[in-house]
Amino acid sequence: MLTARKPHIVLIRPRECTGVTEFSLGMGYVARSLLNSGFDITTLCRDLTCDSTSIFREKLKALPADIYAIGGMYGSFLDFIEICNLIRELHPGVPIILGGALPTSEPEHVLLKTGADFVCVGPSDETIIELAQALIDGSDPRDFHGICFADGKEFVNTKARIQPRFLGGGQSTWPAWEVFDGHAYTHGTMYYPFTSNDIAAPILTARGCPYACNFCFQPMNYARRPLDDVFNEMEWLIDRYDVNAFYIEDDLFMLDRKRVISFCEQVHSRNLRIKFTATGRFNIVDKELLIALKEAGCVTLFYGGEAADDETLEQMKKKITVEQMREGVRLTREAGIFARIGFMFGQPGETAKHLDTTVNFLKEIAYGEFEPRVIYGCIPFPSTELFRECVSKGLLKNEEDLFQRFRFQERLLDQMPVNMTAIEDTNPMTLLNQANQELLAYYEEKDTGWMRTIQSDLIVD
């Protein structure tokens, strides 16, 4: 039981093994909730500084707290473990709360690996307030929803927290940029076609996605924000950080056509001169929508293509077709918007022929935009349908089995820790590497002057 006062909470953002530096909206929302509830908070962002263990240890030593809270994704798993070990060494007995996509997808395994005390399952901005208050007054964590913790040798998972359909508005609900190094984050990793001259910030107009793809490890009920509130936050970011570009980080921005059109109209009515990227969907996109997005400042749409044959797409539960992809790419490019499309290989039952089909399809749709786009490995992350299938078939034992096979590397998805394919005589990763080499050679042959990349404007030969 903590003393009867609002505790000091240190929020820690771990390093991503990918090296990408992006502001964490999730942690920003958690910070806002804590501030609104009167908590004293300090932030420690290792993703910005990339401190060595010795340097980070000294920083952590100088930051005693009543509670430490850490949030991140699967690529931060090793850093979660190291940070928790350092806290236990330097500040023994202080509660550690974990949140974000990683612990949400496998709370019990993450607690075992890290030695932390609690996991906030799902969005943590409300749960952490209740949990922190419970630690203050000594009440039972079982009384609150969305929490996992160990009780002796058993794990306790409280009832899931019901997510709202609509998210509240007003500056008191926005991410607490002011307690982070906003300047560093808005000048962090840039994605084409943003350049080093741009000042970019992420923003959410909605949380969650109503689709249920078999590889998705972050299913969440769809909840939207009032668009007026979104634009008020945009204008605040523009005034405070001179932001001119936005990453709209909705899992699926292009879900409601009328809402997207309304968004574009508000860009004009507020006289905003911005550019932005967003997520699209091939079964929703059309010419009218694209024209509106282009005129509002949209420069890139990211689509999840994933596979180049309808049978695999149906197995994935993508709810799109190859022909819709062709048409969507064509319309997007005709509108003058850069189309970025993700593909993977390694779904159950896929063969070398499926991989060849994807390679040929990528070549087909690459006309005029020879970005070095590769095919990623299909990974059965915990809590996904694919993970459960792997366990039921004996391809994986449990979450620890996947952890031991997983390579925490800069190109995080460039791996296939589990062979779910129908390929038995060859390592499917070898075939995937060969396919990507073929694609890169094709792009280079077609456009030797430049290539579009992350964190660069041009790579000139």
Side-chain angles (χ1 to χ4, degrees):
M1 181 174 175
L2 300 173
T3 57
R5 60 177 174 80
K6 294 297 185 183
H8 174 219
I9 300 179
V10 173
L11 295 179
I12 302 175
R13 179 68 177 166
R15 293 176 298 188
E16 288 281 346
C17 63
T18 58
V20 170
T21 301
E22 296 176 348
F23 180 70
S24 168
L25 290 172
M27 186 161 285
Y29 281 114
V30 166
R32 176 61 66 204
S33 292
L34 290 168
L35 290 174
N36 288 347
S37 299
F39 288 82
D40 178 25
I41 65 172
T42 303
T43 58
L44 191 56
C45 299
R46 198 179 188 185
D47 60 329
L48 278 179
T49 60
C50 294
D51 290 328
S52 65
T53 299
S54 59
I55 292 176
F56 187 77
R57 185 182 185 280
E58 291 305 309
K59 288 184 177 181
L60 196 57
K61 183 178 181 180
L63 271 179
D66 296 301
I67 297 173
Y68 293 94
I70 310 167
M73 301 182 71
Y74 202 90
S76 299
F77 207 151
L78 297 181
D79 224 36
F80 267 76
I81 295 171
E82 180 174 85
I83 292 170
C84 287
N85 287 338
L86 287 172
I87 293 171
R88 288 292 181 238
E89 173 196 343
L90 299 170
H91 307 288
V94 178
I96 301 174
I97 301 174
L98 306 181
L102 166 61
T104 290
S105 65
E106 47 177 331
E108 296 179 9
H109 180 238
V110 172
L111 286 175
L112 282 173
K113 296 294 289 185
T114 62
D117 299 289
F118 300 95
V119 164
C120 292
V121 180
S124 305
D125 34 329
E126 293 183 10
T127 308
I128 196 170
I129 302 300
E130 296 176 351
L131 179 55
Q133 190 62 47
L135 293 174
I136 294 170
D137 58 28
S139 56
D140 192 341
R142 291 174 177 81
D143 296 335
F144 304 101
H145 293 177
I147 297 171
C148 178
F149 62 96
D151 183 7
K153 295 183 179 180
E154 301 293 327
F155 285 100
V156 176
N157 288 277
T158 67
K159 291 183 180 179
R161 181 175 291 276
I162 298 174
Q163 300 302 323
R165 292 184 59 192
F166 299 94
L167 302 175
Q171 189 166 353
S172 63
T173 67
W174 300 346
W177 279 84
E178 65 270 23
V179 297
F180 298 88
D181 188 344
H183 178 81
Y185 279 117
T186 55
H187 289 77
T189 301
M190 295 291 170
Y191 297 88
Y192 183 90
F194 293 167
T195 73
S196 56
N197 294 321
D198 287 316
I199 303 173
I203 196 164
L204 279 178
T205 81
R207 281 180 177 173
C209 176
Y211 291 89
C213 301
N214 70 353
F215 54 84
C216 182
F217 70 103
Q218 199 175 7
M220 189 187 304
N221 293 336
Y222 182 73
R224 62 183 66 186
R225 295 175 60 188
L227 286 181
D228 282 343
D229 187 55
V230 174
F231 281 98
N232 290 341
E233 183 184 346
M234 281 183 164
E235 290 175 342
W236 181 85
L237 287 165
I238 291 169
D239 290 341
R240 186 177 180 99
Y241 298 111
D242 293 323
V243 167
N244 72 307
F246 290 92
Y247 298 109
I248 298 178
E249 294 202 347
D250 300 16
D251 292 322
L252 181 51
F253 177 67
M254 192 186 290
L255 179 61
D256 182 337
R257 288 188 77 266
K258 290 182 179 180
R259 188 169 186 268
V260 173
I261 294 294
S262 179
F263 176 93
C264 296
E265 290 172 348
Q266 287 211 40
V267 171
H268 299 301
S269 66
R270 296 202 181 209
N271 296 314
L272 295 181
R273 298 183 180 276
I274 60 172
K275 48 187 173 179
F276 61 91
T277 69
T279 47
R281 217 170 197 283
F282 286 121
N283 60 329
I284 298 175
V285 68
D286 60 36
K287 185 175 181 179
E288 179 188 9
L289 206 57
L290 289 166
I291 291 173
L293 285 165
K294 174 64 176 178
E295 292 177 349
C298 182
V299 291
T300 298
L301 284 171
F302 181 86
Y303 296 99
E306 317 307 354
D309 70 279
D310 289 336
E311 183 180 349
T312 304
L313 289 169
E314 184 176 357
Q315 175 179 287
M316 291 177 173
K317 301 180 180 178
K318 280 292 297 179
K319 307 295 185 183
I320 60 173
T321 66
V322 174
E323 188 52 42
Q324 287 175 331
M325 278 194 264
R326 282 196 180 93
E327 182 67 2
V329 170
R330 182 185 69 81
L331 290 173
T332 303
R333 293 199 176 135
E334 286 181 356
I337 297 174
F338 185 63
R340 179 166 292 224
I341 310 135
F343 284 88
M344 66 172 68
F345 174 69
Q347 282 275 325
E350 281 196 299
T351 65
K353 184 177 180 180
H354 288 97
L355 181 58
D356 289 340
T357 299
T358 301
V359 169
N360 291 331
F361 185 72
L362 273 168
K363 291 178 181 179
E364 175 190 338
I365 64 173
Y367 56 89
E369 291 185 341
F370 300 103
E371 178 199 18
R373 199 70 183 162
V374 297
I375 305 166
Y376 291 111
C378 181
I379 302 172
F381 285 107
S383 85
T384 65
E385 180 182 320
L386 282 180
F387 179 83
R388 292 189 291 272
E389 183 175 340
C390 284
V391 172
S392 68
K393 290 182 176 179
L395 299 175
L396 278 174
K397 296 178 182 178
N398 48 32
E399 292 91 345
E400 178 64 14
D401 191 7
L402 178 64
F403 175 83
Q404 293 298 331
R405 300 179 188 209
F406 196 86
R407 299 197 309 274
F408 292 90
Q409 58 193 17
E410 184 174 351
R411 294 180 65 86
L412 193 67
L413 302 180
D414 189 17
Q415 59 180 302
M416 293 174 63
V418 184
N419 182 9
M420 298 178 284
T421 72
I423 300 169
E424 298 179 352
D425 57 345
T426 307
N427 184 340
M429 192 65 209
T430 300
L431 296 179
L432 181 57
N433 288 334
Q434 292 170 352
N436 283 328
Q437 290 169 5
E438 178 182 340
L439 282 170
L440 293 175
Y442 174 81
Y443 299 139
E444 189 173 341
E445 176 188 352
K446 290 293 183 180
D447 196 339
T448 57
W450 57 270
M451 288 216 176
R452 295 164 175 175
T453 66
I454 289 178
Q455 294 180 299
S456 300
D457 301 335
L458 304 177
I459 293 181
V460 182
D461 289 346

